[in-house]
Amino acid sequence: MDCGELETTEAYQLTIDDLPNEVFERIVSYLNVEDCKVASLVNYRWSQLCFSPIALANVQLEINCAVLEASDYWTVLESSCRPYRNLVLKFASDDAGDLLKILDKFQSSWERISIEQDADAKLLRTEISVGFLSRMLQAFSNVKQLTIKTVIELSNPSCETDLPQLNRVEAICLYKNCFDGDLIAWTRICPNVKYIGVPLQDGRDEFPRIIQHFSHQIEHLSMDARFIERDSLDFVHEDFPRLRKFRLLYPISNSTATVNLVRSFISRCSNLTEISLFTNVISQDTLQTISESCTQLQVVSLDTNEIPHSTFSILSKLPLLKQLILQKMTVEPAMITSAAIFPVLRRLTCLSIRINCPEAFFQQLHKKMPRLTWLELLDRFRYGFSNFNQNGVVGAICVHMANLQRLALVDWATLDLSIFQNLNMLSNLIELRLKCIGLNANRTIPCCAGVRKLMLDVDTLKPSDTIPPKCHLSLADLISQGFHGVKSIELPHQLLDSTVSEREIATLRSVLTDCAFYRRKRVPMTDRDYAALL
C-alpha cells in the first residue's frame, strides 16, 4: 500500500449514517419513545427509520380489557406490522377469543409479559378455564420474563390438562394467590428459570418448593417474607451455588433466630454481586457477615430505619463496591470519619434519609469516596426528611463534592433557586435532574457551562411568596443563562402546556441551536386513538 492509499483510508471514516437500515433500526430499538422522537429530528432518513416497526418494537403494549373490549384492541392491532416484545395484560374475560388472536399474532416476538389487575376495576380476580389458560401459555412460548400480579381463578380446577412448557422463560415473578388451584406446577411449566421473585405466606408451601427445586440454577432471587412468622424462613437452608443477586423483605420484628438464619444464608452466598435487605433494623453482625463472606459485591441496598454506627466502616472493606443505596435512615459525619477509603464506589443513592450536619458529612464523604461521580438524593416516599431549602444539603454538595458528574435532587416541595448559588463549583457536572413541586424562579442560576443534559420535572415556575412580589425569570432566561452548553432538555408536559409559552420554547431554540427538546409525557395504550397511531 502506497502513501496515497494510506491517506485515503485514514481520511475515510465510517459513521452511523453508513450503517445498513437493518443495523440502524436494531440500534435505535434500544431507545425509549422519547429518545426516538429526538433522534427522528436529525434528517429524513432518521425520521423514517426511528419510527419503523423494528425500531419501536420495544414499545410496551398495554391491553386493558377492563377499559376496552378485546375486540376493540383486535380491530386496531389486526393490521399492525410491529413485532411487539413487551405486553401488560389486564383482562377479565375473552368470550369472543379476540384476546387470544392478539396473543397469537405477536407470539413470535413476545419477550416480557406482565399479567396485572386494573387499579380501577371492580373485580379483584379473574376466572378462566383450564383450556383458556393452556391456550394463553401456548402464545407465551417465546417469552423470557413472566410476571403475574393478579389473582387468577380456574373455573374447572379438577380438569386434567397438560399445560405447555415455557422453556425460554428465564425470569418469573409471582405475587400472592396468583393462581388458585394445584394444577399450576411452575417447576414443570418453566424448567429453565434463573430469576425468581415470589412471596412467602403462612400456610402455603408451593413457593418455597419452587425455590428449593430451582436452587441449583437460580442466579437472581427476590423474596417477600413480610407475611410469614418470624422463624419460617425455611428456604435459607438451601444452597444456591449460582446466586448473584439477592433481595429480601423480611418481618419488621426480627427475632434473633431469624437474623441468624439470614446471616447463615448470606455467609454461604460467596458469589453475590448485589444484595438488597429491607427490614426495620440491620445489625452490625449482619453487615460483618456481608463484608467478610460476599467480597464480590458491587451493589448494596439497605432499607432500614436504623443502622449501626460502623456501617460505612464495614462496607468500605468491600473491594468491588460500585453503588450504595441507603433508604429511610439517619446518617451523620462520625459514621463516615471512621471508614476506610471506598476504592471504586461511583454511585450513591439516598432515598428519604436524614443527614445530620450536612456540611461536615459531605466533606467527609468526598474524602472517603474519592471516585464518587453520581449522587442521587430522593425523597421518594414524601416523608419530608429532606427539605433542601432549609437543611443546607445542596450548598454542602456544591462546595465539597467537586468530582460529581451526575446530580439528581427530588424533593416534594417548591425549591428556591437561591440554594443553587454555588452550583457552578461543580465544574465536572454534566447531568442535572430536578424533580419537585415547583421552582421559585426569582433569581438566576450561576453559569454551569459543563452541563450537557438537563431534566426539569417540575409542575410550575413561580416567584417566591414575597411582599412585594419579585419579578421571576422566564424558563428561557433561566436555562439559557445558567446552562448555555446544554445539549438535551427534558421538560414535563404539565410545565409546557400550562406555564411555558411557545414563544419561550422558540427563544430557547434560537439560543441553544444544538440542543434537543422533548416532553416527558407517556400516553397510555388505553387511548384508542393513540393505539391506532402505533
Side-chain angles (χ1 to χ4, degrees):
M1 180 180 295
D2 58 27
C3 295
E5 292 177 343
L6 182 61
E7 291 177 358
T8 302
T9 304
E10 291 177 347
Y12 182 74
Q13 296 180 353
L14 289 175
T15 68
I16 191 171
D17 289 319
D18 298 313
L19 296 175
N21 289 349
E22 295 79 5
V23 178
F24 184 93
E25 288 175 326
R26 185 65 178 175
I27 294 173
V28 176
S29 69
Y30 291 98
L31 299 177
N32 58 37
V33 177
E34 304 294 344
D35 291 332
C36 278
K37 292 179 182 178
V38 176
S40 68
L41 301 177
V42 174
N43 54 42
Y44 178 78
R45 178 174 182 255
W46 282 49
S47 175
Q48 296 297 308
L49 297 180
C50 285
F51 289 102
S52 70
I54 295 177
L56 285 184
N58 276 328
V59 171
Q60 179 173 281
L61 174 65
E62 180 176 312
I63 298 178
N64 191 344
C65 295
V67 177
L68 292 177
E69 296 292 336
S71 57
D72 294 330
Y73 285 101
W74 176 242
T75 300
V76 173
L77 297 170
E78 183 178 8
S79 58
S80 175
C81 298
R82 177 170 300 161
Y84 283 106
R85 300 190 188 114
N86 309 314
L87 170 66
V88 173
L89 180 59
K90 303 176 183 179
F91 68 100
S93 62
D94 186 32
D95 298 333
D98 292 312
L99 180 58
L100 290 176
K101 292 178 183 178
I102 297 174
L103 298 179
D104 289 339
K105 177 178 176 60
F106 303 104
Q107 177 178 351
S108 60
S109 60
W110 294 134
E111 292 184 3
R112 290 175 290 275
I113 291 182
S114 179
I115 302 176
E116 303 177 7
Q117 179 68 41
D118 181 71
D120 299 324
K122 296 181 179 179
L123 294 176
L124 297 178
R125 60 191 67 218
T126 301
E127 184 175 305
I128 61 175
S129 67
V130 174
F132 184 88
L133 175 62
S134 178
R135 282 283 291 108
M136 185 170 65
L137 292 179
Q138 287 178 12
F140 296 168
S141 57
N142 291 313
V143 171
K144 296 180 181 179
Q145 177 177 322
L146 179 62
T147 301
I148 301 178
K149 295 183 178 181
T150 185
V151 179
I152 299 180
E153 292 182 342
L154 300 177
S155 59
N156 53 344
S158 59
C159 178
E160 295 184 3
T161 302
D162 291 333
L163 297 177
Q165 283 190 332
L166 305 179
N167 293 314
R168 295 194 177 186
V169 171
E170 297 181 352
I172 183 169
C173 301
L174 307 175
Y175 286 66
K176 61 179 181 177
N177 299 317
C178 61
F179 278 102
D180 185 13
D182 298 327
L183 178 68
I184 311 301
W186 292 108
T187 55
R188 189 188 64 80
I189 296 176
C190 305
N192 301 316
V193 167
K194 296 180 181 179
Y195 172 91
I196 291 182
V198 295
L200 296 180
Q201 294 175 265
D202 289 327
R204 301 191 65 177
D205 60 358
E206 60 266 36
F207 291 139
R209 286 205 307 268
I210 293 175
I211 298 174
Q212 292 169 2
H213 178 83
F214 291 115
S215 61
H216 66 286
Q217 65 189 59
I218 291 179
E219 296 180 4
H220 300 180
L221 177 60
S222 179
M223 301 293 306
D224 185 348
R226 292 173 295 175
F227 307 106
I228 66 171
E229 294 186 8
R230 306 175 193 175
D231 305 324
S232 301
L233 300 177
D234 296 332
F235 77 95
V236 300
H237 298 294
E238 300 294 327
D239 289 326
F240 297 80
R242 295 188 176 184
L243 193 62
R244 297 290 184 272
K245 297 182 180 180
F246 177 55
R247 176 179 180 268
L248 176 63
L249 283 78
Y250 60 103
I252 292 179
S253 300
N254 309 117
S255 65
T256 303
T258 302
V259 174
N260 290 337
L261 281 174
V262 174
R263 287 181 56 205
S264 174
F265 173 78
I266 294 175
S267 66
R268 301 196 307 275
C269 300
S270 58
N271 295 321
L272 282 180
T273 60
E274 183 174 328
I275 187 170
S276 300
L277 298 178
F278 300 75
T279 183
N280 189 43
V281 178
I282 292 181
S283 67
Q284 179 172 323
D285 291 337
T286 301
L287 292 175
Q288 288 284 9
T289 302
I290 293 174
S291 176
E292 295 170 0
S293 304
C294 308
T295 57
Q296 304 300 313
L297 279 174
Q298 298 181 20
V299 179
V300 173
S301 177
L302 304 177
D303 187 340
T304 177
N305 293 328
E306 184 178 339
I307 58 173
H309 194 273
S310 58
T311 296
F312 290 97
S313 179
I314 295 173
L315 295 179
S316 64
K317 299 176 183 178
L318 293 171
L320 302 179
L321 185 62
K322 296 181 179 179
Q323 182 180 4
L324 179 59
I325 304 171
L326 305 175
Q327 305 185 45
K328 300 200 301 288
M329 61 188 68
T330 300
V331 295
E332 54 189 31
M335 292 181 173
I336 301 288
T337 304
S338 59
I341 300 294
F342 287 80
V344 296
L345 187 69
R346 297 185 180 276
R347 184 174 181 180
L348 176 62
T349 302
C350 301
L351 304 177
S352 300
I353 72 169
R354 296 181 187 272
I355 302 177
N356 292 335
C357 303
E359 189 76 25
F361 178 81
F362 285 106
Q363 184 178 13
Q364 291 296 322
L365 202 69
H366 178 66
K367 294 179 180 179
K368 303 299 182 179
M369 302 178 183
R371 294 182 177 271
L372 186 67
T373 59
W374 193 339
L375 178 61
E376 299 167 301
L377 297 179
L378 315 174
D379 190 7
R380 187 177 61 179
F381 301 107
R382 305 193 184 192
Y383 288 165
F385 286 179
S386 302
N387 190 327
F388 299 137
N389 290 329
Q390 302 172 3
N391 58 17
V393 166
V394 177
I397 292 173
C398 295
V399 172
H400 299 293
M401 306 298 293
N403 295 334
L404 285 185
Q405 297 178 6
R406 293 178 173 86
L407 175 62
L409 300 174
V410 177
D411 193 352
W412 296 102
T414 299
L415 295 183
D416 193 330
L417 289 185
S418 61
I419 65 176
F420 299 104
Q421 58 184 346
N422 294 321
L423 189 64
N424 58 340
M425 296 181 68
L426 299 177
S427 56
N428 295 310
L429 193 66
I430 59 174
E431 180 178 310
L432 176 63
R433 177 194 174 200
L434 298 179
K435 180 176 177 61
C436 53
I437 294 177
L439 287 176
N440 285 335
N442 58 350
R443 67 173 62 197
T444 61
I445 291 180
C447 180
C448 303
V451 174
R452 293 294 180 263
K453 186 172 184 179
L454 177 63
M455 292 169 280
L456 287 180
D457 193 352
V458 299
D459 295 331
T460 61
L461 281 170
K462 63 180 183 178
S464 58
D465 298 328
T466 58
I467 300 176
K470 298 180 180 179
C471 179
H472 74 285
L473 295 170
S474 66
L475 181 69
D477 292 336
L478 181 68
I479 295 178
S480 61
Q481 295 177 21
F483 308 100
H484 58 76
V486 70
K487 299 297 182 183
S488 173
I489 298 178
E490 297 180 11
L491 299 170
H493 69 92
Q494 299 98 328
L495 186 64
L496 288 169
D497 294 341
S498 61
T499 306
V500 182
S501 67
E502 292 296 331
R503 180 177 298 179
E504 288 195 54
I505 295 297
T507 302
L508 270 175
R509 290 187 182 278
S510 65
V511 176
L512 307 174
T513 55
D514 296 330
C515 183
F517 296 80
Y518 56 96
R519 304 183 181 200
R520 300 294 295 175
K521 181 177 182 179
R522 299 182 183 277
V523 181
M525 277 294 297
T526 52
D527 185 329
R528 186 174 177 180
D529 295 332
Y530 185 67
L533 291 175
L534 294 179

